[in-house]
Amino acid sequence: ETGVTQTPRHLVMGMTNKKSLKCEQHLGHNAMYWYKQSAKKPLELMFVYNFKEQTENNSVPSRFSPECPNSSHLFLHLHTLQPEDSALYLCGAQGNSAEAFFGQGTRLTVV
Amino acid sequence: GEDVEQSLFLSVREGDSSVINCTYTDSSSTYLYWYKQEPGAGLQLLTYIFSNMDMKQDQRLTVLLNKKDKHLSLRIADTQTGDSAIYFCAEREENTGFQKLVFGTGTRLLVSP
């Protein structure tokens, strides 16, 4: 248990669907991240939220839309995705200390 | 630019020591991390080291940091089959107002009985 919970664990969606990934942290940490992990590629940082404010958008296509309604929750809204968007999406949380924890990830398959 | 490199694969026998290496490029990194990822799972934080330290030991894990060469290593003593996984090193980069982690490509460790 890392203190970071992601739901759902697995998601299959069509290219015309709209879905959302959810991340919840109970660590009181002020920074939250979305990373994408594709096969044979390094982990890619997508978004950073610091104190609920988006501080980095790493050139992510607009079909991915993040939302951070409060310091404990982070969402990734998905619409009109492509098959190449199939990947493991990881949420992380970090506070003022050194430790950075990640959830179990959502395995997304776009068909 | 930011770049963290690791060898792709390491195979050891049970009971031996494993050493996983990593090189990074950002000399201003404040912390460096090691994560473990088992099949189908997320990233498990194993250990981390502050950039002004050169060694940290935590049970079977020893982290060595050579800041001059920007080289980080993770030694696992008495490696067990349950240690088989992918190991990622990461550097923490500080930017104005926030920090982020930059990950290496991962090293797949295979432990044979």
Side-chain angles (χ1 to χ4, degrees):
Chain A
E1 177 57 53
T2 64
V4 181
T5 305
Q6 290 186 242
T7 53
R9 290 292 309 277
H10 301 273
L11 178 62
V12 180
M13 60 185 288
M15 288 189 283
T16 57
N17 291 160
K18 289 184 180 181
K19 296 285 184 184
S20 296
L21 310 186
K22 179 182 176 182
C23 177
E24 187 172 358
Q25 58 113 348
H26 304 284
L27 304 166
H29 287 180
N30 50 275
M32 295 183 77
Y33 312 95
W34 281 116
Y35 280 83
K36 176 184 178 184
Q37 186 179 32
S38 307
K40 299 179 183 175
K41 290 176 76 174
L43 279 144
E44 302 170 66
L45 177 65
M46 300 176 73
F47 300 104
V48 179
Y49 273 82
N50 207 39
F51 292 105
K52 301 186 298 175
E53 298 293 322
Q54 184 177 311
T55 50
E56 178 143 315
N57 172 345
N58 221 23
S59 303
V60 179
S62 59
R63 57 186 184 269
F64 294 91
S65 173
E67 179 191 2
C68 189
N70 55 61
S71 55
S72 298
H73 295 86
L74 184 65
F75 294 89
L76 187 62
H77 303 299
L78 317 170
H79 64 98
T80 58
L81 294 193
Q82 305 298 310
E84 61 264 29
D85 297 323
S86 298
L88 182 68
Y89 289 84
L90 289 161
C91 173
Q94 183 161 37
N96 292 327
S97 69
E99 294 169 327
F101 295 103
F102 288 82
Q104 290 295 300
T106 295
R107 172 69 61 188
L108 174 68
T109 304
V110 182
V111 297
Chain B
E2 48 193 52
D3 199 11
V4 181
E5 294 187 354
Q6 301 178 236
S7 52
L8 290 179
F9 190 74
L10 176 66
S11 179
V12 301
R13 288 195 173 277
E14 192 173 23
D16 289 349
S17 292
S18 307
V19 179
I20 302 171
N21 295 300
C22 172
T23 57
Y24 61 98
T25 55
D26 188 350
S27 57
S28 64
S29 295
T30 52
Y31 291 95
L32 296 124
Y33 301 81
W34 284 104
Y35 286 87
K36 176 184 180 183
Q37 187 177 37
E38 298 184 68
L43 298 175
Q44 175 193 350
L45 176 62
L46 289 177
T47 187
Y48 61 90
I49 188 168
F50 187 47
S51 58
N52 70 352
M53 298 171 63
D54 50 24
M55 188 182 91
K56 180 178 180 181
Q57 186 153 3
D58 185 359
Q59 300 182 334
R60 291 191 298 124
L61 305 179
T62 303
V63 179
L64 295 178
L65 175 61
N66 181 329
K67 201 171 178 183
K68 173 176 166 290
D69 294 338
K70 299 190 188 69
H71 183 265
L72 181 74
S73 68
L74 174 70
R75 179 177 179 270
I76 306 173
D78 187 26
T79 315
Q80 303 297 306
T81 54
D83 295 324
S84 292
I86 301 177
Y87 290 80
F88 292 91
C89 67
E91 59 175 348
R92 173 166 147 172
E93 295 188 356
E94 308 285 340
N95 292 282
T96 304
F98 74 100
Q99 61 272 346
K100 65 181 183 183
L101 298 186
V102 177
F103 286 86
T105 49
T107 298
R108 183 178 296 275
L109 174 65
L110 178 63
V111 184
S112 53

